[in-house]
Coordinates of all heavy atoms in Angstrom, one line a residue:
S259 N 21.5 -19.8 -9.5 CA 22.6 -18.9 -9.7 C 23.5 -19.2 -10.9 O 24.3 -18.4 -11.4 CB 23.5 -18.8 -8.5 OG 24.0 -20.1 -8.1
N260 N 23.5 -20.5 -11.4 CA 24.3 -20.9 -12.5 C 23.6 -20.7 -13.9 O 24.1 -21.2 -14.9 CB 24.7 -22.3 -12.4 CG 23.6 -23.3 -12.4 OD1 22.4 -22.9 -12.3 ND2 23.9 -24.6 -12.4
N261 N 22.4 -20.1 -13.9 CA 21.7 -19.8 -15.1 C 22.6 -19.0 -16.1 O 23.2 -18.0 -15.7 CB 20.4 -19.1 -14.8 CG 19.5 -19.0 -16.1 OD1 19.8 -18.2 -17.0 ND2 18.4 -19.7 -16.0
P262 N 22.7 -19.4 -17.4 CA 23.6 -18.7 -18.3 C 23.2 -17.2 -18.4 O 24.2 -16.3 -18.6 CB 23.3 -19.4 -19.6 CG 22.1 -20.2 -19.5 CD 22.0 -20.5 -18.0
I263 N 22.0 -16.8 -18.3 CA 21.6 -15.4 -18.4 C 22.2 -14.6 -17.2 O 22.6 -13.4 -17.3 CB 20.1 -15.2 -18.4 CG1 19.5 -15.8 -19.7 CG2 19.7 -13.7 -18.2 CD1 19.8 -14.9 -20.9
L264 N 22.4 -15.2 -16.1 CA 22.9 -14.6 -14.9 C 24.5 -14.6 -14.8 O 25.1 -14.0 -14.0 CB 22.4 -15.2 -13.6 CG 20.9 -15.3 -13.5 CD1 20.5 -15.8 -12.1 CD2 20.2 -13.9 -13.7
N265 N 25.1 -15.3 -15.8 CA 26.5 -15.5 -15.8 C 27.2 -15.0 -17.1 O 28.2 -15.6 -17.5 CB 26.9 -16.9 -15.5 CG 26.5 -17.3 -14.1 OD1 27.3 -17.1 -13.2 ND2 25.4 -17.9 -13.9
T266 N 26.6 -14.0 -17.7 CA 27.1 -13.5 -18.9 C 28.0 -12.3 -18.7 O 28.3 -11.9 -17.5 CB 26.0 -13.2 -19.9 OG1 26.5 -12.8 -21.2 CG2 25.1 -12.0 -19.4
T267 N 28.5 -11.7 -19.8 CA 29.4 -10.6 -19.6 C 28.7 -9.3 -19.2 O 27.5 -9.2 -19.3 CB 30.1 -10.3 -21.0 OG1 29.1 -9.9 -21.9 CG2 30.8 -11.6 -21.5
E268 N 29.5 -8.3 -18.8 CA 29.0 -7.0 -18.4 C 28.3 -6.4 -19.6 O 27.2 -5.7 -19.4 CB 30.1 -6.1 -17.8 CG 29.6 -4.8 -17.4 CD 30.7 -3.9 -16.8 OE1 31.8 -4.4 -16.7 OE2 30.4 -2.8 -16.4
F269 N 28.9 -6.5 -20.8 CA 28.3 -6.0 -22.0 C 26.8 -6.5 -22.2 O 25.9 -5.7 -22.5 CB 29.1 -6.3 -23.2 CG 28.6 -5.9 -24.5 CD1 28.9 -4.6 -25.0 CD2 27.7 -6.7 -25.3 CE1 28.4 -4.1 -26.2 CE2 27.2 -6.2 -26.5 CZ 27.6 -5.0 -27.0
V270 N 26.6 -7.7 -22.0 CA 25.3 -8.3 -22.2 C 24.4 -7.9 -21.0 O 23.2 -7.5 -21.3 CB 25.4 -9.8 -22.3 CG1 24.0 -10.5 -22.3 CG2 26.2 -10.2 -23.5
R271 N 24.9 -7.9 -19.8 CA 24.0 -7.6 -18.7 C 23.5 -6.2 -18.8 O 22.4 -5.9 -18.3 CB 24.8 -7.7 -17.3 CG 25.0 -9.2 -16.9 CD 25.4 -9.3 -15.5 NE 26.6 -8.5 -15.1 CZ 27.8 -9.0 -15.2 NH1 28.0 -10.3 -15.6 NH2 28.8 -8.3 -14.8
E272 N 24.3 -5.3 -19.3 CA 23.8 -3.9 -19.5 C 22.7 -3.7 -20.5 O 22.1 -2.7 -20.5 CB 25.0 -3.0 -19.9 CG 26.0 -2.7 -18.8 CD 27.2 -1.9 -19.3 OE1 27.3 -1.7 -20.5 OE2 28.0 -1.5 -18.4
R273 N 22.5 -4.8 -21.2 CA 21.4 -4.8 -22.2 C 20.3 -5.7 -21.9 O 19.4 -6.0 -22.8 CB 22.0 -5.1 -23.6 CG 22.9 -3.9 -24.1 CD 24.0 -4.4 -25.1 NE 24.8 -3.2 -25.5 CZ 25.8 -2.7 -24.8 NH1 26.1 -3.2 -23.6 NH2 26.4 -1.6 -25.3
L274 N 20.2 -6.1 -20.6 CA 19.2 -7.0 -20.2 C 18.4 -6.3 -19.0 O 19.0 -5.7 -18.1 CB 19.8 -8.3 -19.6 CG 20.3 -9.3 -20.6 CD1 21.0 -10.4 -19.9 CD2 19.1 -10.0 -21.4
I275 N 17.1 -6.4 -19.1 CA 16.2 -6.0 -18.0 C 15.4 -7.3 -17.6 O 14.7 -7.8 -18.4 CB 15.3 -4.9 -18.4 CG1 16.1 -3.6 -18.8 CG2 14.3 -4.6 -17.3 CD1 15.3 -2.5 -19.3
L276 N 15.6 -7.7 -16.3 CA 14.9 -8.9 -15.8 C 13.9 -8.5 -14.7 O 14.1 -7.6 -13.9 CB 16.0 -9.8 -15.2 CG 17.2 -10.2 -16.1 CD1 18.1 -11.1 -15.4 CD2 16.7 -10.8 -17.4
S277 N 12.8 -9.3 -14.7 CA 11.9 -9.3 -13.6 C 11.5 -10.7 -13.2 O 11.7 -11.6 -14.1 CB 10.6 -8.4 -13.9 OG 10.0 -8.9 -15.1
P278 N 11.1 -10.9 -12.0 CA 11.0 -12.3 -11.5 C 9.7 -13.1 -11.8 O 9.2 -13.7 -10.9 CB 11.3 -12.1 -10.0 CG 10.6 -10.8 -9.7 CD 10.9 -10.0 -10.9
H279 N 9.3 -13.0 -13.0 CA 8.1 -13.7 -13.5 C 6.9 -13.2 -12.7 O 6.1 -14.0 -12.0 CB 8.2 -15.2 -13.3 CG 7.3 -16.0 -14.3 ND1 7.5 -17.3 -14.5 CD2 6.3 -15.6 -15.0 CE1 6.5 -17.7 -15.4 NE2 5.8 -16.6 -15.7
I280 N 6.7 -11.9 -12.7 CA 5.6 -11.3 -12.0 C 4.6 -10.5 -12.9 O 3.7 -9.9 -12.4 CB 6.2 -10.2 -10.9 CG1 7.0 -9.2 -11.7 CG2 6.9 -10.9 -9.8 CD1 7.3 -8.0 -10.8
A281 N 4.7 -10.7 -14.2 CA 3.9 -9.9 -15.1 C 2.4 -10.1 -14.8 O 1.6 -9.2 -14.9 CB 4.2 -10.2 -16.5
G282 N 2.0 -11.4 -14.5 CA 0.6 -11.7 -14.4 C 0.2 -11.7 -12.9 O -1.0 -12.0 -12.6
I283 N 1.0 -11.2 -12.0 CA 0.7 -11.3 -10.6 C 0.1 -9.9 -10.2 O 0.8 -8.9 -10.1 CB 1.9 -11.6 -9.7 CG1 2.4 -13.0 -10.0 CG2 1.6 -11.4 -8.2 CD1 3.7 -13.4 -9.3
S284 N -1.2 -9.9 -10.0 CA -1.9 -8.8 -9.4 C -3.2 -9.3 -8.7 O -3.7 -10.4 -9.1 CB -2.3 -7.8 -10.5 OG -3.3 -8.4 -11.4
P285 N -3.7 -8.6 -7.7 CA -5.0 -9.1 -7.1 C -6.1 -9.3 -8.1 O -6.9 -10.2 -8.0 CB -5.3 -7.9 -6.1 CG -3.9 -7.4 -5.8 CD -3.2 -7.4 -7.1
G286 N -6.2 -8.4 -9.1 CA -7.2 -8.5 -10.1 C -7.1 -9.8 -10.9 O -8.1 -10.5 -11.2
S287 N -5.9 -10.2 -11.3 CA -5.7 -11.4 -12.0 C -6.1 -12.6 -11.2 O -6.8 -13.5 -11.7 CB -4.2 -11.6 -12.4 OG -3.8 -10.6 -13.3
F288 N -5.7 -12.7 -9.9 CA -6.0 -13.8 -9.1 C -7.5 -13.9 -8.8 O -8.1 -15.0 -8.9 CB -5.2 -13.8 -7.8 CG -3.8 -14.3 -7.9 CD1 -2.7 -13.4 -7.7 CD2 -3.5 -15.6 -8.3 CE1 -1.4 -13.9 -7.8 CE2 -2.2 -16.0 -8.5 CZ -1.2 -15.2 -8.2
K289 N -8.1 -12.8 -8.6 CA -9.6 -12.8 -8.3 C -10.3 -13.3 -9.6 O -11.3 -14.0 -9.4 CB -10.0 -11.4 -7.9 CG -9.6 -11.1 -6.5 CD -10.1 -9.7 -6.0 CE -9.6 -9.4 -4.6 NZ -10.1 -8.1 -4.1
R290 N -9.9 -12.8 -10.7 CA -10.6 -13.3 -12.0 C -10.3 -14.8 -12.1 O -11.2 -15.6 -12.5 CB -10.0 -12.6 -13.2 CG -10.5 -11.1 -13.3 CD -10.1 -10.5 -14.7 NE -8.7 -10.3 -14.7 CZ -8.1 -9.1 -14.3 NH1 -8.9 -8.1 -13.8 NH2 -6.8 -8.9 -14.4
G291 N -9.1 -15.3 -11.8 CA -8.8 -16.7 -11.9 C -9.6 -17.6 -11.0 O -10.2 -18.6 -11.4
Y292 N -9.7 -17.1 -9.7 CA -10.4 -18.0 -8.7 C -11.9 -17.9 -9.0 O -12.6 -18.9 -8.7 CB -10.1 -17.5 -7.3 CG -8.7 -17.8 -6.9 CD1 -7.8 -16.9 -6.3 CD2 -8.1 -19.1 -7.2 CE1 -6.5 -17.2 -6.0 CE2 -6.8 -19.4 -6.8 CZ -6.0 -18.5 -6.2 OH -4.7 -18.8 -5.9
K293 N -12.4 -16.8 -9.5 CA -13.8 -16.8 -9.9 C -14.1 -17.9 -11.0 O -15.1 -18.6 -10.9 CB -14.2 -15.4 -10.5 CG -15.7 -15.2 -10.8 CD -16.0 -13.8 -11.3 CE -17.4 -13.7 -11.6 NZ -17.7 -12.3 -12.0

């Protein structure tokens, strides 16, 4: 919760789009990896 990106001004927050490190998470990705 103390990460600087999460503790910035409203002006900056309105210009940020965050996702929780899920870009590579899909069943297809994992199946290819485990293969």
Side-chain angles (χ1 to χ4, degrees):
S259 59
N260 63 351
N261 189 289
I263 292 290
L264 305 184
N265 289 277
T266 186
T267 64
E268 183 178 357
F269 178 88
V270 173
R271 286 199 302 271
E272 288 177 349
R273 288 153 180 83
L274 285 169
I275 298 177
L276 307 180
S277 56
H279 206 165
I280 56 166
I283 294 178
S284 70
S287 291
F288 281 117
K289 286 180 179 179
R290 286 188 290 271
Y292 290 133
K293 184 177 180 180

